[in-house]
Amino acid sequence: VQLQASGGGLVQIGGSLRLSCAASGPIDSDYILAWFRQAPGKEREFVSAIRLGGSRILYADSVKGRFTITRDIAQRTVYLQMFSLKPQDTAVYYCAARPRWLVGGIPSPSNYDHWGQGTQVTVSS
């Protein structure tokens, strides 16, 4: 499984940005695609996750109401639409994948088998 993240950039406070994560290789509709982020000097933290076939979505409290995760199953791509961006959203954003939904385990980076390269998001005034 390969994951290709894109869409990062520099945005002003309150602005919007959309990240994309394109998956390739042997994945099916049960696969979970997730976004994590890591700011300098901090641990990698969970942002959001979605089941590629639909019906399961999870958000971190810190982004709930501001970020929206969607998926295009035909393109095997997951999008993270980010609104009302804050300086504390500045981080390298990574997409990750695992084969099945794991109750209680989705936010933990150690539960993911595959990772894409990061894409930098910088929120500045």
Side-chain angles (χ1 to χ4, degrees):
V1 175
Q2 292 81 42
L3 303 172
Q4 181 71 40
S6 62
L10 175 65
V11 63
Q12 291 188 328
I13 294 172
S16 302
L17 209 56
R18 189 178 82 158
L19 306 182
S20 300
C21 175
S24 59
I27 66 170
D28 58 26
S29 61
D30 282 335
Y31 252 79
I32 309 306
L33 295 184
W35 288 98
F36 288 80
R37 64 187 182 186
Q38 189 165 19
K42 295 189 176 181
E43 293 187 352
R44 192 165 296 190
E45 67 169 346
F46 172 76
V47 176
S48 184
I50 190 168
R51 179 177 173 268
L52 192 58
S55 79
R56 296 269 198 172
I57 288 178
L58 186 68
Y59 293 100
D61 287 344
S62 59
V63 305
K64 205 172 290 184
R66 299 189 299 121
F67 290 10
T68 302
I69 192 168
T70 58
R71 88 276 190 260
D72 182 333
I73 191 169
Q75 298 296 322
R76 298 198 292 180
T77 298
V78 169
Y79 303 97
L80 185 70
Q81 180 68 58
M82 304 183 293
F83 299 99
S84 302
L85 283 161
K86 305 175 181 179
Q88 51 264 47
D89 295 318
T90 295
V92 178
Y93 284 69
Y94 298 90
C95 60
R98 59 164 286 111
R100 300 290 183 268
W101 193 266
L102 180 63
V103 176
I106 292 299
S108 175
S110 63
N111 289 327
Y112 289 81
D113 306 302
H114 311 285
W115 290 85
Q117 89 292 358
T119 185
Q120 176 72 46
V121 172
T122 303
V123 184
S124 174
S125 57

